[in-house]
Amino acid sequence: MSKSLQQKQGIVVSKSGDKTIKVSVKTRKRHPFYKKVVNVTWSALVHDEKNEAKVGDYVNFVSCRPLSAKKTWRLINIQGANSWFNKSPY
């Protein structure tokens, strides 16, 4: 029996502890009544086994068994760095 896993992509917004990153995922949905396209943002705690993701990186992650109370996603790969995210205006 093969269970299809959900695969998502997003941007790392923080490193919250050892082997854990917080990833922000942006989607667009149409409102059911007003029919306007609305931007929806949600965040997920993702397990990063090798501690290789940094803040601002684009990552792919997949659902897995619960690793802790809030962590049910696992990192697949890092697509690339977001150059403007790490630059400080000061």
Side-chain angles (χ1 to χ4, degrees):
M1 280 185 240
S2 175
K3 179 182 174 184
S4 65
L5 301 174
Q6 288 187 352
Q7 185 172 352
K8 304 283 183 184
Q9 62 183 4
I11 186 168
V12 178
V13 289
S14 71
K15 289 186 63 103
S16 54
D18 189 32
K19 297 184 180 181
T20 303
I21 55 175
K22 186 174 185 179
V23 178
S24 176
V25 179
K26 295 181 181 179
T27 58
R28 296 173 62 132
K29 293 186 177 182
R30 183 176 292 275
H31 193 277
F33 182 76
Y34 297 110
K35 309 300 186 217
K36 180 177 177 165
V37 177
V38 180
N39 292 325
V40 179
T41 303
W42 61 278
S43 61
L45 292 179
V46 179
H47 182 69
D48 181 11
E49 183 65 34
K50 299 176 185 172
N51 276 333
E52 53 190 12
K54 295 184 277 301
V55 174
D57 288 347
Y58 287 105
V59 295
N60 288 340
F61 55 98
V62 67
S63 64
C64 65
R65 65 179 178 83
L67 300 170
S68 67
K70 296 180 181 179
K71 193 162 53 168
T72 59
W73 299 91
R74 184 173 34 91
L75 181 69
I76 298 175
N77 64 355
I78 299 171
Q79 290 182 343
N82 188 358
S83 60
W84 65 267
F85 195 84
N86 295 324
K87 292 182 181 176
S88 175
Y90 304 106

